[in-house]
C-alpha cells in the first residue's frame, strides 16, 4: 500500500493508506478548506484496496479532474483535483509513488455469442485489452453514469460507526453544559429544533448530570426515540455513553466528550448487502445464494434476471420484510435487521400492486396516508403542505382531484411513489414498477426514478424490462439458483456476457441452467472492481432482535382506528356498484322469503292443525341463511384485496388491531343496516301474535336483533376466510361451501340435537344458534310439533329468556373467536421482523 503525497496551498501531507481523509468546510474534517464553493462534507481521499481514489459526496459545486466533473476517480502522481470550480477552485496536487490501480488490468469476457450458437456453454477466454471505465473521459458517458466505479467499505461491520458512516462529518454541533436540559423536537420552543415531520413537537431531551453522565429522556414521542437502534419505552429514560447513538426521525445524535454531534440523513447514504443467503425447508433448499453488492450514494440500481432467480426474495431480504438466513444488510454501515424499528421510516417500498385505494381521489388518498404516517401532533395544514409538495415534485398536481382508478398505469405508479415520498425516505425500493406498461410509460417511469436518484435518493428497482437499463448507474443480474451473474455499469454488461442483446443472455441462462454463472462472475475482473471488498467479510447467521413489544405508533390506537374508518367509508361510498349490491342483497332475500306461503304468518296455526305452523321453520331458515351469506359476503374479500396495502402500512407503524377494528366497525354498521332491511321486509307482512321472551310486545324486534348479531358473526367468518386465502379467486368457493354447510346444520332440515358428533359439530355453526334464537321467540318447538305428539323438542328452541340469551351469547363468542384467529393470521402478511 504505497503512500501518496498531497499538496494544498504550499503545504504537503503524506497520506496513510490505513485511513481515509475527509475534505470540506466541516471543522471536524481532516483537511478544512475555508472556501464558500466547497461543501461542508465535500469529498474523501482514501485507499480503495487497489489504489488511491477521491470520492465526491454529492457536493453542490462538484469535484473536477482535467476540467471534467467526477463522482470518483483514481489518483496517482501528477493528478490535479479542483474542488468547487474546474478552473480556480482549491487545487489539490498529488505526487509520490502510487500503485497502478488494479482496475487497469485487462478484463475478461465471454467468447463471442457464436460459441453458444454452436451448442457450447459460454466460457471464459482471454480478451483483448480494453480501456478501463475509470479512464474514459466523463463526457463520453451520460451524466447519471459518472458515478464511482467501486464501492468498498473499509471496516468490518463491528467497527463501523452507527451514526451515518465513518467518512461523514457532523451536520451540526451542540455543546451540553453540566446541569443543562436540551430539549429536541419540531416546535420552535425547543433548544434543538429538528424540522422533520417524523419528529414530535417535543420529542426528547438530553440531560447532562453533574457527575459527568448523560441521559436521554423520551417525552412521549409518537415515532419513538432509539438508542443504538433499540427503542426507548414511551417516556422512558436511559444513560448514554460515547459509543451510543440516539436516533430521532431522520437525525442521529452522538456524544463526543460533552459535545452533541448531529447527523441528518439527507439521502447521502450507502447501502450494501453482504453474503445474503436465504434457505427454506430447514436449510435443504437455497433460493438466494451468497449475494453481495454495494450501492453508491444517490444512484439508480436495476435488478434483472430470469423468473425464479430470486429477485423477489432478494427484495424482501433487502427491505427487512423477510431477513436472510445468513448475511447482513447495511444501511449506511448499520445493520438493517437489528435497527429496523428506527430505519423503517427512512426506507420506501413500492410493491408491484397498488398500495393505495384506487376508488379514492389522488389528494384524498395521500392526505389519509399522511394522517397515518405522521405524528398525531402534526397539524392538518402541515400534513397538507407536505402532500402538495409531493404532488408538485411528481407532477401530479393537475391530477389531484381525479380518482386513482381513472389514471393511466404510469400515473398510478407515480401516485404509489408519491405515497412513499411523504416521509422523505433516503432509500426507495420498487418491485416491477413497469409491469404491464407500454414502452412509452416504461420510459416515463424509469425517467422518474432517474430523477429521484438525481435529487438525492438511492433507488433500487426490480424489473423485467431491459429497454431503459441505460438510465441506471448499476445493474445487478441474478442467475438461476439465486446467485449474482453480474454487477456493474449497464453499458458494460452485454460485453461482459459476450452477447449482443439481453434476450440472448436470458436464453443462455435458460439453456445452461447448470452452468456456474456465479463462479464465472467471481472469477472476473468486474467482480474485483465492484464486489470483492464486500465479499471479504465472513458470512454470519442473521440473528436479529425483533421490534420492541411496546413500540410506539405515529398515531394513537384510537386515532388510527378513526382514520382507517374514515378511509374505508370513503372507499365504500366511492364504489357505487358495491354500495348498490350491498343494499340490494337484503332486499332481494327479504322479498324471496315472502314467496313462501304461510297463512298463519309466523304465529300459531289453526285449531284444526293443532296450532302447528310447518312453514314457520322454512321462513326462518331462509332469513337466517340469507343473513349468513350477506354478512360473510360483505367481508370475504376485504383483507385479501388489501393485503399489499396492509403489509406496507404495517411496516411503517400501523397497529394490527386498529386495522382489524376499523373493518369490524365499518362493516358492522353496514351489516346491521342490512339485517334491519332484511328483517323489515321478512317480518312486516307476517302475523306474529305470540309474545317475545325479552320484549313481550315486540317479537319481531327480538328476532331482528338475533339476525343483526348473526350478520356480524358471519362477517367475522368472512374476514377469517379473507385472512386465510392466498388469492381472491379462492374466496367465493369457500363462501358458498360455508353457506351450504351452515344450511345443513341449522337443525331445521333434520334433527340435529341428540345425534352424537353431529350436534357438537353444529355448535360451531352460527346459523344453528341464530335459528335457535329466532325459534325461541316464536316457540318453534310448538309450531313444528308432530300431530301425534312424538316430536322430540329441540332444547335450545325453548320459549324462555335464558335460552334466547344463550343463543345470542354463543353467536358473540363465535364472532370473538373468529376475530382472534384473524389477528393471528394477519401476522403472516407482515414483515417478519415485526411479528410478535
Amino acid at each position: 500500500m504505497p503512500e501518496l503525497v498531497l499538496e494544498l496551498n504550499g503545504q504537503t501531507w503524506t497520506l496513510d493508506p490505513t485511513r481515509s481523509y475527509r475534505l470540506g468546510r466541516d471543522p471536524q474534517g481532516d483537511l478544512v478548506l475555508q472556501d464558500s464553493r466547497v461543501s461542508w462534507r465535500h469529498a474523501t481521499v482514501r485507499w480503495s484496496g487497489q489504489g488511491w481514489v477521491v470520492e465526491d459526496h454529492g457536493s453542490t459545486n462538484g469535484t473536477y479532474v482535467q476540467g471534467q466533473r467526477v463522482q470518483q476517480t483514481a489518483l496517482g502522481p501528477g493528478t490535479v483535483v479542483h474542488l468547487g470550480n474546474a478552473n480556480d477552485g482549491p487545487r489539490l496536487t498529488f505526487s509520490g509513488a502510487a500503485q497502478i490501480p488494479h482496475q487497469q488490468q485487462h478484463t475478461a469476457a465471454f467468447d463471442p455469442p457464436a460459441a453458444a450458437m454452436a451448442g457450447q456453454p459460454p466460457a471464459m477466454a482471454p480478451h483483448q485489452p480494453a480501456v478501463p471505465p475509470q479512464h474514459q473521459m466523463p463526457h463520453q458517458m451520460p451524466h447519471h453514469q459518472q458515478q464511482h466505479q467501486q464501492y468498498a467499505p473499509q471496516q468490518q461491520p463491528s467497527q463501523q460507526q452507527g451514526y451515518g458512516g465513518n467518512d461523514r462529518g457532523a451536520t451540526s454541533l451542540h455543546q451540553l453544559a453540566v446541569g443543562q436540559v436540551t430539549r429536541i423536537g419540531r416546535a420552535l420552543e425547543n433548544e434543538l429544533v429538528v424540522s422533520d415531520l417524523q419528529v414530535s413537537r417535543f420529542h426528547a431531551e438530553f440531560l447532562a448530570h453533574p457527575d459527568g453522565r448523560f441521559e436521554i429522556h423520551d417525552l412521549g414521542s409518537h415515532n419513538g426515540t432509539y438508542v443504538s437502534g433499540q427503542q426507548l419505552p414511551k417516556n422512558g429514560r436511559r444513560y448514554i455513553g460515547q459509543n451510543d447513538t440516539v436516533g430521532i426521525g431522520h437525525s442521529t445524535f452522538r456524544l463526543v466528550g460533552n459535545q452533541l454531534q448531529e447527523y441528518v440523513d439527507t439521502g447521502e447514504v450507502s447501502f450494501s448487502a453482504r453474503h445474503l443467503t436465504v434457505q427454506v425447508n430447514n436449510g435443504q433448499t437455497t433460493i438466494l445464494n451468497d449475494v453481495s453488492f454495494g450501492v453508491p450514494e444517490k444512484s439508480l440500481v436495476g435488478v434483472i434476471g430470469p423468473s425464479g432467480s430470486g429477485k423477489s426474495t432478494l427484495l424482501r431480504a433487502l427491505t427487512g420484510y423477510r431477513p436472510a438466513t445468513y448475511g447482513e444488510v447495511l444501511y449506511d454501515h448499520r445493520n438493517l435487521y437489528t435497527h429496523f424499528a428506527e430505519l423503517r421510516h427512512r426506507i420506501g417500498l413500492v410493491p408491484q400492486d397498488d398500495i393505495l385505494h384506487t376508488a379514492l381521489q389522488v389528494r384524498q388518498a395521500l392526505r389519509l396516508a399522511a394522517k397515518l404516517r405522521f405524528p398525531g401532533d402534526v397539524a392538518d395544514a402541515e400534513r397538507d403542505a407536505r402532500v402538495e409538495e409531493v404532488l408538485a415534485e411528481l407532477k401530479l398536481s393537475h391530477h389531484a382531484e381525479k380518482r386513482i382508478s381513472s389514471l393511466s398505469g404510469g400515473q398510478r405508479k407515480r401516485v404509489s411513489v408519491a405515497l412513499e415520498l411523504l416521509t422523505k425516505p433516503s432509500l426507495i425500493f420498487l418491485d416491477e414498477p413497469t409491469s404491464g406498461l407500454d414502452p412509452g410509460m416504461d420510459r416515463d417511469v424509469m425517467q422518474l426514478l432517474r430523477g429521484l436518484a438525481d435529487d438525492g435518493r438511492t433507488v433500487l428497482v426490480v424489473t423485467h424490462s431491459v429497454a431503459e437499463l441505460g438510465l441506471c448507474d448499476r445493474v445487478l443480474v441474478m442467475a438461476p439458483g439465486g446467485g449474482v451473474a453480474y454487477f456493474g455499469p449497464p453499458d458494460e454488461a452485454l460485453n461482459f456476457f459476450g452477447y449482443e442483446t439481453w434476450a440472448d443472455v436470458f436464453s443462455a441462462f435458460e439453456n445452461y441452467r447448470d452452468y456456474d454463472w456465479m463462479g464465472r462472475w467471481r472469477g472476473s475482473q468486474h467482480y474485483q472492481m465492484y464486489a470483492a471488498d464486500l465479499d471479504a467479510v465472513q458470512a454470519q447467521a442473521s440473528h436479529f432482535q425483533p421490534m420492541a413489544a411496546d413500540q410506539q405508533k405515529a398515531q394513537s390506537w384510537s386515532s388510527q382506528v378513526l382514520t382507517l374508518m374514515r378511509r374505508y367509508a370513503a372507499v365504500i361510498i366511492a364504489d357505487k356498484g358495491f354500495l348498490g349490491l350491498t343494499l340490494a342483497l337484503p332486499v332481494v332475500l327479504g322479498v324471496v322469503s315472502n314467496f313462501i306461503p304461510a297463512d298463519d304468518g309466523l304465529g300459531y296455526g289453526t285449531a284444526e292443525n293443532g296450532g302447528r305452523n310447518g312453514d314457520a321453520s322454512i321462513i326462518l331458515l331462509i332469513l337466517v341463511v340469507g343473513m349468513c351469506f350477506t354478512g360473510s359476503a360483505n367481508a370475504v374479500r376485504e383483507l385479501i384485496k388489501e393485503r399489499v396495502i396492509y403489509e406496507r402500512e404495517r411496516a411503517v407503524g400501523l397497529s394490527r388491531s386498529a386495522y382489524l377494528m376499523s373493518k369490524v366497525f365499518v362493516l358492522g354498521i353496514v351489516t346491521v343496516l342490512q339485517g334491519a332491511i332484511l328483517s323489515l321486509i321478512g317480518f312486516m307482512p307476517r302475523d306474529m301474535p305470540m309474545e317475545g321472551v325479552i320484549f313481550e310486545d315486540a317479537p319481531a324486534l327480538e328476532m331482528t336483533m338475533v339476525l343483526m348479531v348473526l350478520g356480524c358473526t358471519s362477517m367475522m367468518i368472512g374476514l377469517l376466510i379473507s385472512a386465510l386465502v392466498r388469492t381472491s379467486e379462492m374466496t367465493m368457493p369457500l363462501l358458498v361451501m360455508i353457506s351450504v354447510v351452515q344450511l345443513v346444520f341449522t337443525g331445521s332440515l333434520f334433527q340435529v340435537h341428540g345425534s352424537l358428533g353431529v350436534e357438537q359439530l353444529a355448535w360451531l355453526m352460527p346459523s344453528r344458534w341464530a335459528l335457535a334464537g329466532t325459534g325461541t321467540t316464536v316457540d318453534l318447538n310448538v309450531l313444528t310439533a308432530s300431530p301425534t305428539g312424538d316430536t322430540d323438542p329441540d332444547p335450545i328452541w325453548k320459549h324462555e329468556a335464558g335460552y334466547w340469551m344463550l343463543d345470542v351469547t354463543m353467536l358473540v363468542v363465535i364472532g370473538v373467536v373468529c376475530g382472534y384467529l384473524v389477528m393471528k393470521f394477519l401476522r403472516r402478511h407482515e414483515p417478519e421482523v415485526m411479528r410478535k
Side-chain angles (χ1 to χ4, degrees):
M1 293 186 294
E3 295 178 340
L4 187 69
V5 178
L6 184 154
E7 179 181 350
L8 172 66
N9 296 330
Q11 294 181 290
T12 60
W13 293 265
T14 300
L15 305 184
D16 182 359
T18 63
R19 57 163 297 187
S20 58
Y21 296 85
R22 295 172 296 174
L23 315 178
R25 290 186 292 109
D26 180 7
Q28 303 298 313
D30 299 294
L31 274 75
V32 182
L33 297 95
Q34 299 300 331
D35 189 305
S36 60
R37 295 170 295 180
V38 177
S39 296
W40 184 268
R41 301 185 302 272
H42 194 105
T44 297
V45 174
R46 61 180 174 86
W47 175 258
S48 68
Q50 289 83 32
W52 286 98
V53 295
V54 60
E55 177 182 352
D56 186 275
H57 289 308
S59 62
T60 302
N61 295 316
T63 301
Y64 298 86
V65 176
Q66 296 182 354
Q68 299 294 330
R69 184 166 182 166
V70 297
Q71 184 70 28
Q72 177 172 308
T73 190
L75 299 175
T79 302
V80 177
V81 177
H82 285 88
L83 305 180
N85 187 282
N87 299 316
D88 59 357
R91 173 189 175 102
L92 308 178
T93 304
F94 296 88
S95 60
Q99 183 182 9
I100 297 175
H102 190 61
Q103 293 94 318
Q104 294 185 23
Q105 298 179 13
H106 300 163
T107 60
F110 277 128
D111 279 335
M117 297 297 290
Q120 300 296 326
M124 296 294 292
H127 189 63
Q128 63 271 19
V131 179
Q134 66 272 24
H135 284 185
Q136 295 179 8
M137 295 299 292
H139 69 269
Q140 294 175 311
M141 295 181 286
H143 176 69
H144 67 270
Q145 292 182 10
Q146 296 176 26
Q147 301 288 335
H148 51 278
Q149 301 298 319
Q150 182 178 1
Y151 176 85
Q154 300 299 305
Q155 297 179 342
Q156 300 293 330
S158 60
Q159 299 173 306
Q160 297 292 357
Q161 303 294 337
Y163 56 93
N166 56 339
D167 286 341
R168 186 164 299 133
T171 306
S172 60
L173 308 174
H174 310 277
Q175 198 71 26
L176 299 180
V178 174
Q180 176 184 350
V181 176
T182 303
R183 288 185 306 173
I184 302 175
R186 214 174 64 251
L188 297 178
E189 294 86 347
N190 292 281
E191 286 76 23
L192 204 165
V193 179
V194 179
S195 300
D196 182 352
L197 291 183
Q198 295 285 344
V199 177
S200 299
R201 285 179 53 80
F202 299 97
H203 195 105
E205 60 185 14
F206 284 97
L207 296 87
H209 293 284
D211 60 3
R213 293 190 298 172
F214 296 90
E215 185 180 18
I216 181 68
H217 176 206
D218 182 83
L219 300 178
S221 63
H222 293 272
N223 279 326
T225 303
Y226 301 85
V227 178
S228 297
Q230 301 303 309
Q231 186 169 357
L232 285 180
K234 199 166 188 176
N235 296 305
R237 297 172 178 267
R238 178 173 166 179
Y239 286 102
I240 58 174
Q242 301 292 317
N243 294 325
D244 289 323
T245 59
V246 177
I248 296 177
H250 284 77
S251 296
T252 303
F253 299 89
R254 179 172 178 261
L255 278 173
V256 178
N258 54 351
Q259 186 181 71
L260 189 65
Q261 298 183 350
E262 179 184 8
Y263 303 84
V264 179
D265 187 345
T266 58
E268 299 176 2
V269 297
S270 60
F271 184 79
S272 62
R274 292 179 173 178
H275 299 285
L276 293 184
T277 300
V278 175
Q279 296 177 337
V280 295
N281 300 328
N282 295 322
Q284 300 298 314
T285 305
T286 300
I287 56 178
L288 197 67
N289 187 9
D290 201 11
V291 174
S292 297
F293 65 95
V295 179
E297 298 176 2
K298 300 188 297 185
S299 60
L300 174 60
V301 178
V303 179
I304 62 173
S307 299
S309 59
K311 299 188 299 299
S312 297
T313 302
L314 174 63
L315 185 65
R316 298 183 72 82
L318 293 175
T319 55
Y321 276 42
R322 200 289 185 196
T325 311
Y326 297 96
E328 60 184 353
V329 177
L330 298 181
Y331 178 100
D332 220 19
H333 310 298
R334 303 170 68 183
N335 190 305
L336 175 64
Y337 299 156
T338 55
H339 293 74
F340 184 81
E342 176 185 354
L343 298 178
R344 63 194 171 95
H345 298 292
R346 308 186 193 182
I347 297 176
L349 173 63
V350 181
Q352 182 175 350
D353 299 323
D354 291 319
I355 53 176
L356 287 168
H357 293 86
T358 57
L360 301 179
Q361 296 176 347
V362 174
R363 180 178 284 117
Q364 180 186 22
L366 292 180
R367 285 182 174 178
L368 288 169
K371 176 74 172 175
L372 285 173
R373 297 195 178 196
F374 289 132
D377 60 4
V378 175
D380 291 343
E382 292 179 280
R383 286 196 305 270
D384 293 347
R386 179 58 190 155
V387 170
E388 296 306 316
E389 288 177 11
V390 172
L391 288 173
E393 180 179 0
L394 296 184
K395 299 179 176 59
L396 289 170
S397 298
H398 57 291
H399 298 297
E401 300 302 324
K402 296 180 181 178
R403 297 199 184 279
I404 299 175
S405 57
S406 67
L407 301 178
S408 66
Q411 291 168 344
R412 289 169 68 170
K413 194 58 64 177
R414 281 179 178 267
V415 178
S416 294
V417 174
L419 171 63
E420 294 303 307
L421 292 186
L422 288 173
T423 55
K424 298 184 178 180
S426 300
L427 187 62
I428 302 177
F429 294 91
L430 300 99
D431 187 11
E432 299 287 355
T434 61
S435 177
L437 302 183
D438 61 49
M441 289 186 180
D442 180 3
R443 180 182 58 191
D444 291 343
V445 171
M446 291 299 292
Q447 287 177 342
L448 165 67
L449 303 184
R450 177 71 257 165
L452 294 178
D454 292 338
D455 288 341
R457 306 174 184 91
T458 298
V459 183
L460 189 146
V461 53
V462 175
T463 179
H464 279 296
S465 174
V466 297
E468 304 298 332
L469 285 181
L471 292 172
C472 297
D473 302 296
R474 296 285 187 274
V475 60
L476 175 69
V477 183
M478 300 294 292
V484 177
Y486 173 81
F487 177 72
D491 53 353
E492 300 176 24
L494 289 176
N495 182 58
F496 172 84
F497 286 109
Y499 292 102
E500 295 182 356
T501 67
W502 282 107
D504 294 330
V505 175
F506 279 48
S507 294
F509 285 149
E510 180 64 28
N511 294 332
Y512 308 108
R513 299 187 68 87
D514 295 332
Y515 183 76
D516 187 8
W517 298 98
M518 184 175 175
R520 183 192 182 281
W521 154 245
R522 294 199 170 187
S524 69
Q525 184 61 35
H526 281 78
Y527 170 78
Q528 297 297 326
M529 295 167 61
Y530 302 115
D533 290 321
L534 291 167
D535 269 351
V537 182
Q538 183 66 32
Q540 298 178 354
S542 179
H543 297 297
F544 59 88
Q545 296 181 0
M547 299 178 69
D550 59 346
Q551 177 216 350
Q552 293 101 313
K553 309 296 191 301
Q555 297 282 332
S556 65
W557 186 88
S558 59
S559 179
Q560 285 194 359
V561 172
L562 291 175
T563 301
L564 291 168
M565 288 177 61
R566 177 184 168 192
R567 182 178 70 181
Y568 190 28
V571 170
I572 291 177
I573 293 173
D575 191 344
K576 305 300 183 184
F578 174 80
L579 191 61
L581 289 174
T582 299
L583 295 176
L585 186 58
V587 172
V588 172
L589 292 174
V591 171
V592 167
S593 69
N594 281 292
F595 283 98
I596 300 173
D599 296 335
D600 300 308
L602 285 173
Y604 297 108
T606 61
E608 289 77 9
N609 60 19
R612 293 180 292 105
N613 184 354
D615 294 327
S617 63
I618 299 177
I619 295 171
L620 293 179
L621 176 65
I622 295 299
L623 294 176
V624 165
V625 174
M627 198 66 227
C628 285
F629 182 83
T630 300
S632 297
N634 288 340
V636 75
R637 290 181 181 268
E638 289 307 308
L639 300 184
I640 180 64
K641 75 179 183 183
E642 292 185 358
R643 187 159 293 174
V644 176
I645 298 175
Y646 171 73
E647 182 179 42
R648 181 62 193 133
E649 291 183 341
R650 178 71 174 132
V652 295
L654 178 67
S655 166
R656 184 191 310 153
S657 58
Y659 176 75
L660 177 59
M661 290 309 298
S662 69
K663 296 292 185 185
V664 171
F665 287 152
V666 175
L667 288 174
I669 293 172
V670 172
T671 303
V672 166
L673 178 61
Q674 290 175 316
I677 296 173
L678 179 64
S679 300
L680 182 66
I681 299 175
F683 295 142
M684 181 178 292
R686 308 295 184 183
D687 180 26
M688 287 181 284
M690 77 292 290
E691 293 182 349
V693 294
I694 302 296
F695 305 103
E696 293 185 359
D697 298 328
L701 178 59
E702 274 184 25
M703 292 188 289
T704 298
M705 292 176 62
V706 172
L707 291 179
M708 288 178 174
V709 177
L710 170 64
C712 292
T713 302
S714 299
M715 174 198 71
M716 297 306 298
I717 292 177
L719 289 175
L720 181 58
I721 295 173
S722 194
L724 277 171
V725 297
R726 297 184 180 276
T727 63
S728 296
E729 289 73 17
M730 298 173 63
T731 57
M732 294 312 295
L734 286 174
L735 174 61
V736 173
M737 180 188 72
I738 289 179
S739 298
V740 172
V741 170
Q742 294 206 75
L743 169 66
V744 171
F745 287 95
T746 55
S748 178
L749 298 180
F750 64 95
Q751 181 174 306
V752 171
H753 66 279
S755 180
L756 184 63
V758 175
E759 182 177 14
Q760 287 70 36
L761 183 60
W763 290 346
L764 302 177
M765 305 299 165
S767 59
R768 166 68 170 153
W769 299 103
L771 187 68
T774 55
T776 296
T777 297
V778 300
D779 199 0
L780 202 56
N781 275 328
V782 172
L783 295 182
T784 59
S786 170
T788 60
D790 58 356
T791 304
D792 185 11
D794 195 317
I796 62 174
W797 288 2
K798 291 183 180 179
H799 190 63
E800 298 177 10
Y803 283 99
W804 188 91
M805 293 298 297
L806 171 65
D807 298 333
V808 173
T809 300
M810 288 304 298
L811 287 173
V812 174
V813 169
I814 293 174
V816 171
V817 170
C818 288
Y820 174 78
L821 294 176
V822 172
M823 286 282 289
K824 290 297 182 181
F825 288 127
L826 279 175
R827 292 178 67 254
R828 301 185 308 170
H829 312 298
E830 299 173 358
E832 188 170 313
V833 294
M834 298 187 68
R835 298 176 187 174
K836 60 180 184 291

